[in-house]
């Protein structure tokens, strides 16, 4: 520790998400590493992650679209929790996960709540499918898995092919190869708190 840093300042630097609660929205079919890597990054930054799902009990992740991964315990059913209970939202990808979530009205209500309250949202890979259905991408600059680019453009987003894109509290990335950059920007945006430009 340098002489210029007091212990309190150093602790704050190391724990930028201290006291913050972060919802992870996922169901079975979620890309495992896109759930576990950001989850670990939130914990490492001092935050408290919670798994919110359309399912009860456990969800089963996937490694790619074909190989089953591990199971993870659900903390809250999406129909019984409000976005106001959390400081931020993280949306992992996975084709099956995103395709299921985007058809659920409780999911869309939950997601819209974060935008209405100007709270940070981070979405990777196929997760922006759900943002399209929630009606929150128009006018936003963002990226995603490449096959979603036309869908996002048709919904009014400015789609770009970049490792990570940040637009007023909305952080997006393309695929698992981008996770280091995604996690860093996700933590930074959550630490900053509400963004007035983040709106439904």
């Amino acid at each position: 520790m340098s002489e210029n840093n007091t212990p309190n300042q150093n602790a704050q630097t190391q724990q930028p998400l201290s006291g913050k609660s972060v919802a992870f929205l996922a169901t079975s079919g979620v890309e495992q590493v896109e759930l576990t890597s950001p989850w670990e990054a939130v914990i490492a930054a001092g935050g408290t992650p919670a798994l919110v799902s359309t399912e009860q009990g456990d969800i089963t992740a996937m490694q790619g679209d074909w190989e089953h991964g591990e199971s993870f315990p659900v903390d809250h059913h999406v129909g019984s929790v409000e976005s106001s209970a959390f400081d931020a939202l993280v949306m992992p990808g996975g084709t099956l996960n995103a395709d299921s979530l985007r058809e659920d009205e409780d999911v869309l209500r939950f997601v819209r709540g974060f935008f209405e309250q100007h709270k940070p949202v981070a979405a990777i890979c196929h997760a922006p499918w759900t943002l399209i259905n929630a009606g929150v991408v128009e006018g936003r600059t963002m990226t995603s898995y490449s096959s979603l680019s036309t869908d996002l453009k048709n919904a009014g987003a400015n789609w770009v092919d970049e490792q990570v894109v940040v637009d007023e509290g909305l952080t997006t990335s393309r695929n698992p190869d981008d996770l280091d950059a995604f996690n860093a920007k996700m933590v930074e945006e959550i630490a900053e708190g509400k963004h007035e430009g983040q709106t439904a």
Side-chain angles (χ1 to χ4, degrees):
M1 186 190 306
S2 72
E3 294 179 5
N4 295 330
N5 280 344
T6 67
N8 285 342
Q9 285 173 329
N10 193 57
Q12 190 172 17
T13 301
Q14 299 301 318
Q15 301 283 290
L17 301 189
S18 179
K20 291 185 180 288
S21 178
V22 181
F24 279 71
L25 179 62
T27 191
S28 288
V30 64
E31 179 69 42
Q32 181 164 313
V33 71
E34 292 175 358
L35 171 62
T36 57
S37 179
W39 183 283
E40 291 163 2
V42 166
I43 291 173
T48 304
L51 182 56
V52 178
S53 182
T54 53
E55 299 180 62
Q56 308 271 14
D58 295 325
I59 64 170
T60 301
M62 300 289 283
Q63 295 176 345
D65 286 338
W66 307 109
E67 184 180 342
H68 283 278
E70 298 174 42
S71 294
F72 298 90
V74 173
D75 296 303
H76 305 283
H77 186 272
V78 70
S80 64
V81 70
E82 299 293 332
S83 51
S84 57
F86 303 96
D87 296 293
L89 172 65
V90 177
M91 301 171 66
T95 311
L96 299 175
N97 169 66
D99 199 32
S100 174
L101 291 177
R102 65 177 175 155
E103 297 296 323
D104 189 289
E105 285 302 320
D106 284 331
V107 165
L108 301 182
R109 171 194 55 79
F110 184 69
V111 169
R112 276 194 295 267
F114 286 89
F115 286 83
E116 290 164 354
Q117 296 161 44
H118 312 293
K119 293 178 178 178
V121 174
I124 188 170
C125 200
H126 286 81
W129 254 348
T130 304
L131 299 180
I132 292 171
N133 284 36
V136 295
V137 304
E138 185 173 0
R140 307 304 294 271
T141 298
M142 55 196 300
T143 193
S144 68
Y145 194 72
S146 58
S147 64
L148 275 63
S149 61
T150 299
D151 293 341
L152 283 161
K153 290 172 184 175
N154 287 342
N158 173 31
W159 188 88
V160 294
D161 184 12
E162 295 179 11
Q163 186 179 42
V164 61
V165 177
V166 179
D167 181 347
E168 292 286 347
L170 174 61
T171 303
T172 50
S173 282
R174 302 167 301 187
N175 57 56
D177 292 339
D178 300 334
L179 275 165
D180 286 347
F182 178 76
N183 291 345
K185 285 298 185 182
M186 169 196 76
V187 168
E188 184 179 315
E189 293 301 297
I190 295 172
E192 288 178 6
K194 294 185 178 183
H195 295 69
E196 284 308 307
Q198 172 80 315
T199 184

